Amino acid sequence: MTHAALLAALAACLGEAHVLTGADAEPYLTDWRRNVTGRALAVLRPSDREEVAQAVRLCAAAGVPLVPQGGNTGQVAAATPDASATAVVLSLLRMNRVRALDLDNDTISVEAGCVLQAVQEAARNAGRLFPLSLGAQGSCTIGGNLATNAGGTQVLRYGNARELALGLEVVTPQGEIWDGMRGLRKDNTGYDLRDLYIGSEGTLGIITAAVLKLFPLPRSQCTALLVLDGLPQALRLLRRARGALGAGLTAFEVMSAACLMDVVRAFPQQRLPFADLPDGGWCALLEISGGEEDGRAQELLETVLSAALEAGEALDAAVAVSGAQSAAFWHLRESITLALAQAQACVKHDISLPASRIPAFVQSTDRALAAAFPGVAMRVFGHLGDGNLHYNLLPPAGASHAAIQRLVHDRVHEAGGAISAEQGIGQLRVQDLQRYKSEVELDLMRRIKAALDPRGLMNPGKILEAGPQTGATAGP
Ligand code: FAD
């Protein structure tokens, strides 16, 4: 089938208005960080799973690769096609229906294009909590969250996206529909296909819907921002808070003072609750959530903070006295990525290590970078409770970004960590995966890909190097 015949068949199936080309397709072709712009034969906007399946079958018959896309907020250009203009982007944004709420089973079933915040709101309106929470929640989608196994700020208590999904519906690379929408908390009937698709970044199939876990809404919640001398103090504070608050500790975030100064410079309407922050200092953001029997969140948190101040773990502390103030604290934290996006250049790393090794890692890596790249500036923040740091750097003029990244990732690998904690591999970290994974692990991954997508048509060049795409037709 020629490309023109394929586009005509897709338009007949999805409607002309939902097969975008030319200028209409452009907004879908550049990644969020504006690192990569690709080209596509067309952007498809199906409205339900049958349309997805038909579109996949048509593309498979024509040998045309597909790039699934949700909110396009990913950080590793995983939803951006390559420059060859031979793939189609398949946007899930029109598939944004809540299919069912089952309050007895504590689950919500949603289509993949539902925006995360809309799912949080649907859960809240039903008196439940859907806890996945991240800075991009106003535009990222559940499909993207699952395809990247997103983390965010509540992992400490509720886990990654993987822990929040009970069932999936997936369109396979052959265009079949796998209905795995089982809201089961226990299901040991063979290989776990759900877990295979979660985190596969659109390389094994297209997630069209999911059954998600719901939780009770916290009856009380309290947030505090603390000023700290350094990460060793943050680690001691984390241990103290965990010991005293147990599962009530729902978030423990750290951010360097430099990150927060960037935020207030970029967004002057935002205010820090402290007169100033020490040079080289850090802040920690703690959140505690309680159930009905535990309506004393603020009192409990204040007890921990007093002890931390007394023990010298914290230099200063501000406890939010209202929901608005708590939201303002979170807004500071969630604005860091946006503030850094305004920096001329930022070399980003999304690393994970056992939390206990993080202070030593940061100290020695900061030192090694300063020696190798004089003038480099650190902009580090992250989810200390999960051992995950966004170890971001503003490079000096002329420094090789690849060399900086190599230094950081080599050290992460030597320390037993992972070079991607929550953002995935996409197309930006494919070479890193080759460098740091063992041959056995890479080989197993390639065999899984070959088994499920033997023609290599699902999001080629993401996670693994692009294999041969068999059956591709040439020409317009
Ligand atoms: P997209 O960017 O559209 O796609 C991401 C990947 O998923 C691609 O490989 C794509 O092909 C695939 N995909 C999308 N939908 C489907 C589908 N239905 N089926 C199969 N594959 C699909 N991430 C975190 O983990 N934690 C954070 O704290 C966090 N904070 C962020 C803050 C900001 C300000 C921004 C901009 C991003 C942040 N991110 C964070 C990254 C990003 O928001 C997440 O990766 C998010 O899960 C991506 O969802 P999306 O819908 O935008 O996916």
Side-chain angles (χ1 to χ4, degrees):
M1 195 190 296
T2 64
H3 287 163
L6 172 66
L7 293 184
L10 288 166
C13 156
L14 308 179
E16 295 270 357
H18 302 299
V19 179
L20 311 181
T21 52
D24 293 338
E26 267 169 33
Y28 300 82
L29 302 181
T30 298
D31 77 308
W32 190 88
R33 289 171 61 194
R34 311 211 147 266
N35 276 328
V36 182
T37 295
R39 292 165 67 220
L41 208 52
V43 174
L44 313 180
R45 290 170 42 89
S47 73
D48 59 30
R49 65 182 199 169
E50 278 75 24
E51 287 192 2
V52 174
Q54 280 184 49
V56 170
R57 284 197 295 273
L58 285 168
C59 289
V64 164
L66 288 119
V67 180
Q69 190 179 94
N72 197 19
T73 66
Q75 300 289 292
V76 287
T80 311
D82 67 18
S84 65
T86 52
V88 297
V89 171
L90 190 140
S91 165
L92 279 297
L93 286 178
R94 286 178 71 217
M95 292 180 52
N96 58 6
R97 285 159 286 233
V98 173
R99 285 194 190 160
L101 254 166
D102 181 345
L103 295 185
D104 291 330
N105 197 36
D106 263 334
T107 51
I108 186 168
S109 303
V110 300
E111 289 184 336
C114 278
V115 168
L116 171 55
Q117 196 167 306
V119 177
Q120 294 167 344
E121 277 161 18
R124 198 174 307 121
N125 292 340
R128 295 291 191 278
L129 174 75
F130 180 61
L132 187 65
S133 174
L134 44 111
Q137 64 199 25
S139 42
C140 64
T141 61
I142 290 298
N145 299 149
L146 292 169
T148 58
N149 186 24
T153 55
Q154 303 283 303
V155 174
L156 192 62
R157 165 76 176 81
Y158 298 101
N160 293 306
R162 183 184 302 284
E163 276 86 43
L164 301 173
L166 291 176
L168 291 187
E169 178 184 271
V170 173
V171 170
T172 70
Q174 294 71 36
E176 310 137 313
I177 297 172
W178 169 52
D179 183 348
M181 293 288 280
R182 298 184 279 265
L184 303 177
R185 284 175 166 75
K186 290 188 162 186
D187 180 0
N188 280 350
T189 51
Y191 300 132
D192 196 331
L193 299 177
R194 178 195 61 197
D195 271 357
L196 200 53
Y197 285 109
I198 294 175
S200 66
E201 299 185 50
T203 61
L204 301 179
I206 299 174
I207 299 169
T208 49
V211 185
L212 305 170
K213 280 186 201 168
L214 298 177
F215 295 82
L217 270 175
R219 303 288 161 155
S220 61
Q221 212 157 29
C222 190
T223 315
L225 204 54
L226 288 86
V227 183
L228 316 168
D229 264 334
L231 286 173
Q233 290 80 359
L235 202 56
R236 286 205 285 280
L237 176 64
L238 172 63
R239 192 192 306 173
R240 177 187 296 283
R242 262 196 184 133
L245 307 170
L249 183 67
T250 41
F252 191 106
E253 302 282 302
V254 290
M255 46 222 141
S256 68
C259 286
L260 287 175
M261 296 316 293
D262 284 348
V263 170
V264 291
R265 257 192 303 272
F267 309 110
Q269 69 282 14
Q270 295 206 43
R271 297 253 182 284
L272 290 171
F274 309 109
D276 58 46
L277 296 176
D279 266 356
W282 288 78
C283 281
L285 179 63
L286 273 71
E287 182 190 79
I288 169 172
S289 307
E292 195 143 28
E293 73 294 350
D294 200 6
R296 303 175 299 123
Q298 182 164 344
E299 199 185 314
L300 279 171
L301 188 55
E302 282 172 353
T303 308
V304 172
L305 301 192
S306 306
L309 286 164
E310 211 164 292
E313 286 155 11
L315 303 173
D316 204 351
V319 177
V321 293
S322 64
Q325 201 178 10
S326 167
F329 288 2
W330 273 113
H331 197 37
L332 285 165
R333 159 66 184 85
E334 281 162 359
S335 300
I336 296 174
T337 302
L338 297 169
L340 288 181
Q342 299 187 7
Q344 290 242 301
C346 184
V347 186
K348 294 193 163 198
H349 308 93
D350 167 38
I351 61 173
S352 83
L353 287 161
S356 50
R357 293 191 205 153
I358 282 186
F361 171 86
V362 170
Q363 193 190 37
S364 64
T365 308
D366 280 3
R367 217 182 288 135
L369 282 163
F373 306 97
V376 66
M378 285 64 181
R379 291 293 187 272
V380 182
F381 65 99
H383 319 288
L384 185 70
D386 316 327
N388 173 199
L389 280 190
H390 300 302
Y391 187 79
N392 295 335
L393 306 163
L394 306 181
S400 153
H401 294 195
I404 291 177
Q405 207 153 64
R406 173 63 64 85
L407 185 153
V408 173
H409 283 167
D410 278 357
R411 295 180 70 92
V412 169
H413 183 64
E414 279 156 23
I419 55 131
S420 175
E422 58 177 12
Q423 293 173 353
I425 298 297
Q427 56 178 304
L428 299 186
R429 298 190 182 129
V430 173
Q431 297 309 319
D432 290 314
L433 199 77
Q434 306 286 319
R435 181 174 170 83
Y436 300 113
K437 286 278 183 200
S438 71
E439 257 320 301
V440 173
E441 212 167 345
L442 282 171
D443 188 46
L444 286 169
M445 286 192 193
R446 290 189 192 112
R447 278 151 65 184
I448 290 170
K449 170 77 176 168
L452 295 190
D453 180 21
R455 297 172 67 203
L457 294 178
M458 274 294 156
N459 214 1
K462 314 295 165 48
I463 302 186
L464 297 168
E465 68 285 11
Q469 288 151 27
T470 54
T473 46

PDB file of all heavy atoms in Angstrom, residues 27-30 43 67-73 79-81 89-93 113 141 144:
ATOM      1  N   PRO A  27       2.282  20.509  16.186  1.00  0.00           N
ATOM      2  CA  PRO A  27       2.360  20.540  17.656  1.00  0.00           C
ATOM      3  C   PRO A  27       2.711  19.179  18.275  1.00  0.00           C
ATOM      4  O   PRO A  27       3.097  19.125  19.439  1.00  0.00           O
ATOM      5  CB  PRO A  27       0.945  20.970  18.073  1.00  0.00           C
ATOM      6  CG  PRO A  27       0.367  21.624  16.868  1.00  0.00           C
ATOM      7  CD  PRO A  27       1.008  20.997  15.681  1.00  0.00           C
ATOM      8  N   TYR A  28       2.572  18.109  17.537  1.00  0.00           N
ATOM      9  CA  TYR A  28       2.810  16.771  18.083  1.00  0.00           C
ATOM     10  C   TYR A  28       4.237  16.272  17.807  1.00  0.00           C
ATOM     11  O   TYR A  28       4.583  15.157  18.174  1.00  0.00           O
ATOM     12  CB  TYR A  28       1.829  15.765  17.457  1.00  0.00           C
ATOM     13  CG  TYR A  28       0.372  16.096  17.711  1.00  0.00           C
ATOM     14  CD1 TYR A  28      -0.297  17.033  16.922  1.00  0.00           C
ATOM     15  CD2 TYR A  28      -0.335  15.482  18.744  1.00  0.00           C
ATOM     16  CE1 TYR A  28      -1.633  17.346  17.141  1.00  0.00           C
ATOM     17  CE2 TYR A  28      -1.667  15.786  18.963  1.00  0.00           C
ATOM     18  CZ  TYR A  28      -2.313  16.717  18.163  1.00  0.00           C
ATOM     19  OH  TYR A  28      -3.635  17.022  18.392  1.00  0.00           O
ATOM     20  N   LEU A  29       5.024  17.090  17.108  1.00  0.00           N
ATOM     21  CA  LEU A  29       6.276  16.560  16.561  1.00  0.00           C
ATOM     22  C   LEU A  29       7.531  17.012  17.297  1.00  0.00           C
ATOM     23  O   LEU A  29       8.640  16.617  16.930  1.00  0.00           O
ATOM     24  CB  LEU A  29       6.373  16.911  15.068  1.00  0.00           C
ATOM     25  CG  LEU A  29       5.209  16.380  14.219  1.00  0.00           C
ATOM     26  CD1 LEU A  29       5.396  16.739  12.761  1.00  0.00           C
ATOM     27  CD2 LEU A  29       5.057  14.866  14.378  1.00  0.00           C
ATOM     28  N   THR A  30       7.369  17.841  18.316  1.00  0.00           N
ATOM     29  CA  THR A  30       8.531  18.285  19.097  1.00  0.00           C
ATOM     30  C   THR A  30       8.333  17.860  20.542  1.00  0.00           C
ATOM     31  O   THR A  30       7.235  17.958  21.071  1.00  0.00           O
ATOM     32  CB  THR A  30       8.664  19.833  19.002  1.00  0.00           C
ATOM     33  OG1 THR A  30       8.876  20.165  17.637  1.00  0.00           O
ATOM     34  CG2 THR A  30       9.842  20.331  19.819  1.00  0.00           C
ATOM     35  N   VAL A  43      -0.566  12.538  11.941  1.00  0.00           N
ATOM     36  CA  VAL A  43      -0.902  12.331  13.355  1.00  0.00           C
ATOM     37  C   VAL A  43      -2.335  11.810  13.392  1.00  0.00           C
ATOM     38  O   VAL A  43      -3.240  12.426  12.816  1.00  0.00           O
ATOM     39  CB  VAL A  43      -0.784  13.641  14.161  1.00  0.00           C
ATOM     40  CG1 VAL A  43      -1.276  13.445  15.584  1.00  0.00           C
ATOM     41  CG2 VAL A  43       0.655  14.150  14.149  1.00  0.00           C
ATOM     42  N   VAL A  67       4.032   5.755  16.592  1.00  0.00           N
ATOM     43  CA  VAL A  67       4.591   6.352  17.806  1.00  0.00           C
ATOM     44  C   VAL A  67       3.416   6.775  18.692  1.00  0.00           C
ATOM     45  O   VAL A  67       2.735   7.766  18.389  1.00  0.00           O
ATOM     46  CB  VAL A  67       5.459   7.588  17.464  1.00  0.00           C
ATOM     47  CG1 VAL A  67       6.033   8.211  18.735  1.00  0.00           C
ATOM     48  CG2 VAL A  67       6.568   7.206  16.491  1.00  0.00           C
ATOM     49  N   PRO A  68       3.117   6.023  19.759  1.00  0.00           N
ATOM     50  CA  PRO A  68       2.012   6.435  20.629  1.00  0.00           C
ATOM     51  C   PRO A  68       2.374   7.715  21.369  1.00  0.00           C
ATOM     52  O   PRO A  68       3.530   7.920  21.719  1.00  0.00           O
ATOM     53  CB  PRO A  68       1.879   5.271  21.626  1.00  0.00           C
ATOM     54  CG  PRO A  68       2.712   4.161  21.089  1.00  0.00           C
ATOM     55  CD  PRO A  68       3.753   4.778  20.223  1.00  0.00           C
ATOM     56  N   GLN A  69       1.376   8.546  21.578  1.00  0.00           N
ATOM     57  CA  GLN A  69       1.620   9.800  22.306  1.00  0.00           C
ATOM     58  C   GLN A  69       0.443  10.135  23.205  1.00  0.00           C
ATOM     59  O   GLN A  69      -0.714   9.998  22.813  1.00  0.00           O
ATOM     60  CB  GLN A  69       1.857  10.945  21.318  1.00  0.00           C
ATOM     61  CG  GLN A  69       2.349  12.215  21.977  1.00  0.00           C
ATOM     62  CD  GLN A  69       2.599  13.338  20.977  1.00  0.00           C
ATOM     63  OE1 GLN A  69       1.721  14.159  20.746  1.00  0.00           O
ATOM     64  NE2 GLN A  69       3.782  13.373  20.386  1.00  0.00           N
ATOM     65  N   GLY A  70       0.757  10.542  24.438  1.00  0.00           N
ATOM     66  CA  GLY A  70      -0.275  11.005  25.361  1.00  0.00           C
ATOM     67  C   GLY A  70      -0.207  12.519  25.432  1.00  0.00           C
ATOM     68  O   GLY A  70      -0.462  13.221  24.458  1.00  0.00           O
ATOM     69  N   GLY A  71       0.196  13.030  26.606  1.00  0.00           N
ATOM     70  CA  GLY A  71       0.268  14.484  26.792  1.00  0.00           C
ATOM     71  C   GLY A  71       1.547  15.098  26.270  1.00  0.00           C
ATOM     72  O   GLY A  71       1.714  16.318  26.324  1.00  0.00           O
ATOM     73  N   ASN A  72       2.474  14.268  25.802  1.00  0.00           N
ATOM     74  CA  ASN A  72       3.771  14.735  25.274  1.00  0.00           C
ATOM     75  C   ASN A  72       4.543  15.543  26.317  1.00  0.00           C
ATOM     76  O   ASN A  72       5.167  16.546  25.989  1.00  0.00           O
ATOM     77  CB  ASN A  72       3.572  15.555  23.993  1.00  0.00           C
ATOM     78  CG  ASN A  72       4.869  15.690  23.207  1.00  0.00           C
ATOM     79  OD1 ASN A  72       5.814  14.918  23.394  1.00  0.00           O
ATOM     80  ND2 ASN A  72       4.937  16.685  22.346  1.00  0.00           N
ATOM     81  N   THR A  73       4.493  15.111  27.563  1.00  0.00           N
ATOM     82  CA  THR A  73       5.247  15.805  28.623  1.00  0.00           C
ATOM     83  C   THR A  73       6.502  15.029  29.022  1.00  0.00           C
ATOM     84  O   THR A  73       7.216  15.445  29.927  1.00  0.00           O
ATOM     85  CB  THR A  73       4.392  15.997  29.894  1.00  0.00           C
ATOM     86  OG1 THR A  73       4.114  14.705  30.459  1.00  0.00           O
ATOM     87  CG2 THR A  73       3.084  16.708  29.594  1.00  0.00           C
ATOM     88  N   ALA A  79       8.058  10.131  22.836  1.00  0.00           N
ATOM     89  CA  ALA A  79       6.811  10.196  22.061  1.00  0.00           C
ATOM     90  C   ALA A  79       7.004  10.998  20.777  1.00  0.00           C
ATOM     91  O   ALA A  79       6.034  11.421  20.152  1.00  0.00           O
ATOM     92  CB  ALA A  79       5.704  10.815  22.915  1.00  0.00           C
ATOM     93  N   THR A  80       8.253  11.204  20.411  1.00  0.00           N
ATOM     94  CA  THR A  80       8.566  12.005  19.220  1.00  0.00           C
ATOM     95  C   THR A  80       9.100  11.083  18.120  1.00  0.00           C
ATOM     96  O   THR A  80       9.997  10.282  18.377  1.00  0.00           O
ATOM     97  CB  THR A  80       9.638  13.071  19.567  1.00  0.00           C
ATOM     98  OG1 THR A  80       9.227  13.750  20.750  1.00  0.00           O
ATOM     99  CG2 THR A  80       9.822  14.063  18.439  1.00  0.00           C
ATOM    100  N   PRO A  81       8.556  11.192  16.897  1.00  0.00           N
ATOM    101  CA  PRO A  81       9.042  10.320  15.823  1.00  0.00           C
ATOM    102  C   PRO A  81      10.428  10.765  15.355  1.00  0.00           C
ATOM    103  O   PRO A  81      10.861  11.872  15.674  1.00  0.00           O
ATOM    104  CB  PRO A  81       8.003  10.534  14.713  1.00  0.00           C
ATOM    105  CG  PRO A  81       7.467  11.905  14.955  1.00  0.00           C
ATOM    106  CD  PRO A  81       7.505  12.127  16.451  1.00  0.00           C
ATOM    107  N   VAL A  89       2.231   9.323  14.199  1.00  0.00           N
ATOM    108  CA  VAL A  89       2.055   9.524  15.642  1.00  0.00           C
ATOM    109  C   VAL A  89       0.604   9.181  15.943  1.00  0.00           C
ATOM    110  O   VAL A  89      -0.294   9.617  15.216  1.00  0.00           O
ATOM    111  CB  VAL A  89       2.362  10.988  16.034  1.00  0.00           C
ATOM    112  CG1 VAL A  89       1.975  11.255  17.474  1.00  0.00           C
ATOM    113  CG2 VAL A  89       3.839  11.299  15.800  1.00  0.00           C
ATOM    114  N   LEU A  90       0.381   8.379  16.983  1.00  0.00           N
ATOM    115  CA  LEU A  90      -0.997   8.047  17.352  1.00  0.00           C
ATOM    116  C   LEU A  90      -1.281   8.704  18.696  1.00  0.00           C
ATOM    117  O   LEU A  90      -0.736   8.283  19.719  1.00  0.00           O
ATOM    118  CB  LEU A  90      -1.179   6.533  17.409  1.00  0.00           C
ATOM    119  CG  LEU A  90      -2.636   6.093  17.555  1.00  0.00           C
ATOM    120  CD1 LEU A  90      -2.928   4.876  16.697  1.00  0.00           C
ATOM    121  CD2 LEU A  90      -2.985   5.810  19.012  1.00  0.00           C
ATOM    122  N   SER A  91      -2.069   9.769  18.664  1.00  0.00           N
ATOM    123  CA  SER A  91      -2.371  10.516  19.881  1.00  0.00           C
ATOM    124  C   SER A  91      -3.612   9.926  20.545  1.00  0.00           C
ATOM    125  O   SER A  91      -4.637   9.720  19.888  1.00  0.00           O
ATOM    126  CB  SER A  91      -2.631  11.984  19.550  1.00  0.00           C
ATOM    127  OG  SER A  91      -3.239  12.610  20.658  1.00  0.00           O
ATOM    128  N   LEU A  92      -3.514   9.709  21.872  1.00  0.00           N
ATOM    129  CA  LEU A  92      -4.639   9.105  22.607  1.00  0.00           C
ATOM    130  C   LEU A  92      -5.546  10.169  23.230  1.00  0.00           C
ATOM    131  O   LEU A  92      -6.484   9.833  23.948  1.00  0.00           O
ATOM    132  CB  LEU A  92      -4.089   8.206  23.733  1.00  0.00           C
ATOM    133  CG  LEU A  92      -3.599   6.774  23.426  1.00  0.00           C
ATOM    134  CD1 LEU A  92      -4.759   5.917  22.905  1.00  0.00           C
ATOM    135  CD2 LEU A  92      -2.450   6.719  22.459  1.00  0.00           C
ATOM    136  N   LEU A  93      -5.289  11.454  22.930  1.00  0.00           N
ATOM    137  CA  LEU A  93      -5.940  12.508  23.715  1.00  0.00           C
ATOM    138  C   LEU A  93      -7.462  12.518  23.607  1.00  0.00           C
ATOM    139  O   LEU A  93      -8.145  12.988  24.521  1.00  0.00           O
ATOM    140  CB  LEU A  93      -5.380  13.884  23.321  1.00  0.00           C
ATOM    141  CG  LEU A  93      -3.961  14.171  23.839  1.00  0.00           C
ATOM    142  CD1 LEU A  93      -3.474  15.523  23.349  1.00  0.00           C
ATOM    143  CD2 LEU A  93      -3.910  14.100  25.358  1.00  0.00           C
ATOM    144  N   GLY A 113      -6.240   8.164  27.369  1.00  0.00           N
ATOM    145  CA  GLY A 113      -5.995   9.584  27.119  1.00  0.00           C
ATOM    146  C   GLY A 113      -6.516  10.497  28.220  1.00  0.00           C
ATOM    147  O   GLY A 113      -6.422  11.726  28.106  1.00  0.00           O
ATOM    148  N   THR A 141      -1.023  12.074  30.551  1.00  0.00           N
ATOM    149  CA  THR A 141      -2.180  11.173  30.505  1.00  0.00           C
ATOM    150  C   THR A 141      -1.884   9.870  31.249  1.00  0.00           C
ATOM    151  O   THR A 141      -0.718   9.500  31.443  1.00  0.00           O
ATOM    152  CB  THR A 141      -2.499  10.799  29.049  1.00  0.00           C
ATOM    153  OG1 THR A 141      -1.361  10.112  28.497  1.00  0.00           O
ATOM    154  CG2 THR A 141      -2.810  12.021  28.203  1.00  0.00           C
ATOM    155  N   GLY A 144       0.306   7.594  29.195  1.00  0.00           N
ATOM    156  CA  GLY A 144       1.716   7.989  29.275  1.00  0.00           C
ATOM    157  C   GLY A 144       2.301   7.657  30.638  1.00  0.00           C
ATOM    158  O   GLY A 144       3.440   7.191  30.745  1.00  0.00           O
TER     159      GLY A 144
END
